Amino acid sequence: MNPLLERAKKVMPGGVSSPVRAFLAVGGDPPVIASARGAEIFDTNGRGYVDLVCSWGPLILGHAHPAVVEAVSKAARDGLSFGATCEREVLLAEAVLSRFPWANKIRFVSTGTEAVMSAVRLARGATGRSRIVKFDGCYHGHVDGLLVSGGSGLATLGTPASAGVPREYAELTEVLPLDDDAAAEALFARKGKEIAAVIIEPLPANSGLLVQRTAFLKKLRELCTAHGALLIFDEVISGLRVAPGGMSERLGITPDIVTLGKIVGGGMPVGAYLAKDEIMNFVAPLGCVYQAGTLSGNPVAMAAGLATLNELAKPGVYERLDATAAMLSRGMERALERYEVPATVARVGSILWLSLQAGAPPRSWGAVKQEGAKLYAAIHRNALSNGLWMAPSAFEVAFVSLAHGDAHVQAATLAFERAVAAAREQS
Ligand SMILES: *Cc1c(COP(=O)(O)O)cnc(C)c1O
């Protein structure tokens, strides 16, 4: 084993700062990373990989983009933290809000989890209600009240999905299946008056890529409006990625609150939530919902976000991301066909997911077949040894960045094909 990994395991649970990095779902020892540049990531043994994880989403420009590195270096020289409003913070607020024209104000925090936690508090404060609704298969960070899973079928009271989450707390969360209009209608008919907010990833991308019908998301919008509940779109992954204004822009559905993370910090720790004035004015110091942060609006992190958004404002950027991902997706599908693996690649813009089951990609977590995970583990292992860095879980998506050129896609496709062939032979 890599001696650094051994040392890591002695001093950090599982040797990691976030569980999926330990590779438990796919087996094998996770390489320790030394550096990364563009579309490639390098481990401490000097091995390079084409990176399809891209730090789990933030790096839409690729690793160490020169404009971001330059902006961060300059900001660092100007001071690492002020504990007061700074110019870069105002600029990033304006840049983000220009992409979400229906919203008036934004609050910066430091992670996606914190953005969601604050958005839920805001929704409760603004409505004076306690109950929240989430969907099975959606991930919203490790917020206590959202680390909750449901049963199968109709709406169920949440049960804690982690030790340490009190049952009493989880019971304030209702869990609904995705892609099920009738279940949502039935819940609102019974408890509509108690519901503060419905929170959903409008493009669920944390349990595979479970693309929702627009009509289903419209139904949620209608139910929330009719019952005085707020609709929260958790766009920590999809915001700024699938379109400048995220899924709300793509679908033409306006939520009440949007949460952001990942890309908005350009690789630095930033989260944010935004809404119209009538809701954001509840946030302290204007209103009664308390939320604060010593490092919120951090100038160096703001600089990284700002430089990233500047690059994303250039013409043709989203078209390029789409074309790159389409090419990769076609290459992967050809490899799967060639080795007769019943699978498809689900894709929206630059987000891809290998759905290792027959038929169209599923739209709900209940429809995701778990058996694919075993083959995925073998593909993952073989991909690594062929120089391809894939997510260490069958249910995590892949991302391409603007740094992924044709040569990277060709290398990735070839490595993937070899990995599928080897995995087929071994299983
Ligand atoms: C990553 C993610 C979060 C949590 O963000 P962190 O920065 O990891 O705390 C929340 N919601 C969604 C949809 C995410 O993908």
Side-chain angles (χ1 to χ4, degrees):
M1 198 196 290
N2 183 329
L4 257 180
L5 181 61
E6 257 172 89
R7 281 166 58 192
K9 285 184 172 179
K10 283 209 180 95
V11 290
M12 303 186 291
V16 295
S17 296
S18 195
V20 71
R21 301 178 191 173
F23 279 28
L24 291 192
V26 290
D29 288 337
V32 179
I33 299 307
S35 68
R37 181 165 296 265
E40 289 172 288
I41 188 162
F42 301 90
D43 68 20
T44 50
N45 294 324
R47 288 211 56 175
Y49 311 82
V50 175
D51 185 8
L52 296 184
V53 179
C54 294
S55 189
W56 303 91
L59 302 178
I60 195 165
L61 307 181
H63 293 277
H65 187 283
V68 179
V69 172
E70 174 61 31
V72 165
S73 314
K74 182 166 188 321
R77 284 193 297 271
D78 290 342
L80 295 181
S81 178
F82 308 135
T85 298
C86 67
E87 185 179 7
R88 290 180 176 94
E89 193 178 355
V90 179
L91 293 174
L92 185 59
E94 289 169 350
V96 174
L97 286 171
S98 74
R99 288 151 165 92
F100 294 84
W102 54 269
N104 307 111
K105 286 196 177 77
I106 183 169
R107 168 61 60 85
F108 289 114
V109 292
S110 298
T111 65
T113 295
E114 203 185 348
V116 167
M117 181 184 81
S118 310
V120 167
R121 185 182 305 138
L122 172 57
R124 284 172 164 156
T127 58
R129 301 172 178 183
S130 300
R131 209 164 277 287
I132 52 175
V133 179
K134 71 154 284 192
F135 291 85
D136 202 21
C138 286
Y139 175 69
H140 302 291
H142 63 93
V143 182
D144 275 347
L146 294 170
L147 271 186
V148 163
S149 48
S152 53
L154 292 178
T156 44
L157 272 189
T159 52
S162 163
V165 175
R167 188 170 39 78
E168 295 85 345
Y169 209 79
E171 282 176 0
L172 288 176
T173 307
E174 303 274 346
V175 184
L176 283 173
L178 285 163
D179 190 39
D180 190 337
D181 303 54
E185 275 173 353
L187 175 63
F188 267 95
R190 277 192 295 128
K191 298 191 179 167
K193 288 272 167 301
E194 300 168 39
I195 296 171
V198 170
I199 183 165
I200 187 168
E201 294 177 79
L203 177 61
N206 278 289
S207 305
L209 186 65
L210 308 174
V211 182
Q212 297 303 292
R213 290 173 293 111
T214 305
F216 173 66
L217 296 167
K218 282 210 173 107
K219 170 63 70 180
L220 297 180
R221 174 67 280 180
E222 285 163 20
L223 286 169
C224 286
T225 304
H227 291 85
L230 300 184
L231 180 62
I232 305 173
F233 273 4
D234 181 356
E235 301 231 41
V236 168
I237 284 184
S238 54
L240 308 165
R241 177 171 286 276
V242 298
M247 286 305 280
S248 52
E249 175 185 326
R250 260 180 101 110
L251 303 172
I253 299 174
T254 306
D256 297 297
I257 305 176
V258 157
T259 54
L260 296 175
K262 301 194 169 111
I263 292 173
V264 75
M268 297 288 283
V270 180
Y273 56 102
L274 50 96
K276 283 189 197 305
D277 271 336
E278 61 193 76
I279 293 172
M280 286 307 274
N281 289 349
F282 278 95
V283 177
L286 294 183
C288 50
V289 176
Y290 188 73
Q291 189 272 304
T294 302
L295 293 174
S296 296
N298 174 269
V300 185
M302 296 290 108
L306 202 51
T308 300
L309 264 60
N310 281 342
E311 292 300 310
L312 289 177
K314 292 180 177 170
V317 154
Y318 286 91
E319 290 79 0
R320 232 169 77 216
L321 283 166
D322 194 71
T324 306
M327 183 160 60
L328 178 61
S329 152
R330 276 196 302 276
M332 289 171 74
E333 287 191 322
R334 268 198 302 272
L336 294 162
E337 264 166 46
R338 182 151 170 210
Y339 294 96
E340 295 176 354
V341 180
T344 51
V345 178
R347 180 178 77 84
V348 174
S350 52
I351 310 175
L352 309 95
W353 177 55
L354 179 56
S355 168
L356 284 169
Q357 62 188 62
R363 295 187 190 279
S364 69
W365 181 235
V368 175
K369 300 212 168 68
Q370 304 295 310
E371 300 86 78
K374 200 165 158 267
L375 180 61
Y376 185 86
I379 293 175
H380 178 268
R381 214 162 32 247
N382 287 291
L384 264 191
S385 55
N386 280 286
L388 181 62
W389 190 269
M390 295 174 76
S393 157
F395 308 113
E396 299 284 357
V397 295
F399 297 100
V400 296
S401 77
L402 286 165
H404 288 72
D406 289 3
H408 297 114
V409 172
Q410 279 157 19
T413 305
L414 186 63
F416 179 74
E417 181 163 338
R418 287 182 176 152
V420 170
R424 263 310 215 196
E425 226 161 77
Q426 291 157 8
S427 66

